[in-house]
Amino acid sequence: MTLHRKNSHDWLAEHGDYLYRYALARLRDEHLAEDAVQETLLAALQGSGFAGHSSPRTWLTGILKHKIIDQFRRQQREVALDAPDEVMDGEPGMDEFFREDGHWSEPPQAWGDPGSLVQQDQFLRILQGCLERLPEKLARLFVMREVVEWENEDICKELEISPTNSWVMLYRARMGLRKCIEMNWLEAH
Amino acid sequence: MLSCRQASQLLSQSRERVLPLRQRLGLRLHLLLCDACRQFASQLKQLRRAARQFGARIENDERLRLSKNARGRIAQAMQQQVSTNEVARQNPDQNFEG
């Protein structure tokens, strides 16, 4: 099937921004998101075409998802080489959260429910800031699990990590985020 | 009796797997008796909810757009790809890269 010039310009004009936002929500980096969109549209042009799919946007998003997975895989591998210490058996670093007898050093406080839209917005901004402060590998895994909402099984398969590995990292991510959010949220209220 | 430390680990893990019965019961008992861990459990839920909204918020924010530069770059790359495709189409017997 031949792809006419008109189509390719349409895709960028009609779907470019949408694809960009989709990628940005998951990759949390503008340049990476731009690259993912470019790779997607180029792959779409190289392929056999759009015929038979539900809609151009759904089809393009499908391609984009794969490009995002590729990026995640690349990133996790990079970090693994640099910081093998990040992947460990026990929960080192959790000592700051608990006393020797196993109790919380600082018991979680009540947050209340972010009621108004303004408060919800504020809460999400705090979450974003706290994500940026987490070690990259933990943040990324958290995003994959809780933002992109992949099943743990699929994450482990894609990133080639063990379930145990994943549980440990998610635990550390959640503990770190919770603490950071609490500090910032309570400060503002 | 589980410690808070252990309970916090199990609470986190329970999101990814079904805990063995013994651990589930131990956790439930601990939560009955421990305010701090109940608070933690509720916060994990809030965190999860917020994470889901987080993605949606960015996806739906129409102020977020490809920059002019990025758009130009991509358009150019696409144009090159279309040209390459055209040439390949007109010369089916020859091998082209990319």
Side-chain angles (χ1 to χ4, degrees):
Chain A
M1 171 187 176
T2 47
L3 295 170
H4 303 289
R5 283 176 183 223
K6 183 172 175 292
N7 278 359
S8 68
H9 283 302
D10 283 350
W11 289 345
L12 179 56
E14 285 180 23
H15 307 295
D17 287 334
Y18 169 79
L19 294 173
Y20 173 67
R21 287 195 294 267
Y22 187 97
L24 188 61
R26 287 150 179 79
L27 296 171
R28 298 179 304 119
D29 178 290
E30 288 167 3
H31 295 299
L32 291 177
E34 288 166 8
D35 288 347
V37 173
Q38 177 163 323
E39 286 177 40
T40 297
L41 291 169
L42 290 180
L45 287 173
Q46 284 172 18
S48 53
F50 160 65
H53 295 265
S54 41
S55 81
R57 183 164 289 192
T58 308
W59 176 59
L60 290 170
T61 307
I63 299 175
L64 177 59
K65 278 188 198 167
H66 280 107
K67 298 303 175 188
I68 291 173
I69 292 174
D70 288 345
Q71 181 57 35
F72 279 148
R73 232 187 264 128
R74 236 174 286 148
Q75 287 175 324
Q76 293 299 91
R77 233 171 254 153
E78 277 168 34
V79 182
L81 292 173
D82 291 334
D85 302 312
E86 284 217 73
V87 177
M88 298 193 260
D89 301 303
E91 277 79 28
M94 293 296 108
D95 293 342
E96 59 176 289
F97 296 118
F98 297 100
R99 301 198 311 240
E100 269 203 44
D101 60 2
H103 284 289
W104 293 90
S105 6
E106 286 168 38
Q109 313 266 298
W111 289 352
D113 234 339
S116 65
L117 285 175
V118 172
Q119 285 193 318
Q120 279 172 33
D121 211 66
Q122 187 178 38
F123 193 84
L124 289 179
R125 240 175 289 134
I126 290 176
L127 171 58
Q128 176 150 27
C130 290
L131 266 172
E132 283 162 23
R133 251 170 269 160
L134 264 191
E136 261 190 65
K137 196 165 186 175
L138 298 183
R140 221 173 291 124
L141 193 61
F142 178 84
V143 168
M144 278 188 251
R145 181 76 185 102
E146 304 281 31
V147 178
V148 187
E149 294 192 90
W150 280 353
E151 292 304 320
N152 194 47
E153 209 176 67
D154 296 327
I155 293 177
C156 291
K157 196 166 41 138
E158 289 298 340
L159 299 184
E160 292 168 11
I161 59 179
S162 72
T164 310
N165 225 314
S166 176
W167 297 336
V168 169
M169 286 197 281
L170 285 169
Y171 173 64
R172 292 171 69 194
R174 288 168 180 144
M175 290 294 281
L177 284 172
R178 191 213 69 81
K179 179 76 193 242
C180 172
I181 290 173
E182 179 162 288
M183 281 194 316
N184 287 280
W185 180 251
L186 292 180
E187 201 181 281
H189 293 83
Chain B
M1 252 299 267
L2 291 176
S3 68
C4 293
R5 183 174 187 143
Q6 291 170 318
S8 71
Q9 290 168 9
L10 290 179
L11 275 167
S12 176
Q13 275 184 41
S14 69
R15 295 220 173 314
E16 273 73 59
R17 66 172 188 142
V18 177
L19 298 174
L21 184 62
R22 195 169 46 92
Q23 288 182 329
R24 238 183 311 162
L25 292 177
L27 181 56
R28 208 169 292 174
L29 179 60
H30 183 94
L31 288 175
L32 274 175
L33 303 171
C34 179
D35 274 342
C37 287
R38 265 204 307 279
Q39 199 65 255
F40 177 71
S42 135
Q43 286 169 0
L44 276 189
K45 289 204 185 98
Q46 269 181 292
L47 181 55
R48 169 165 263 203
R49 224 180 302 140
R52 265 185 275 190
Q53 288 173 10
F54 183 77
R57 190 165 160 267
I58 293 175
E59 275 185 53
N60 296 324
D61 187 349
E62 301 201 348
R63 294 169 302 172
L64 296 172
R65 297 200 191 129
L66 282 167
S67 70
K68 216 185 278 181
N69 279 345
R71 193 173 277 277
R73 236 187 308 128
I74 295 173
Q76 197 172 38
M78 289 176 77
Q79 198 49 55
Q80 281 178 346
Q81 183 65 56
V82 170
S83 304
T84 308
N85 288 351
E86 262 306 299
V87 175
R89 198 177 65 84
Q90 286 164 9
N91 298 275
D93 299 325
Q94 298 192 37
N95 276 332
F96 284 92
E97 273 147 42

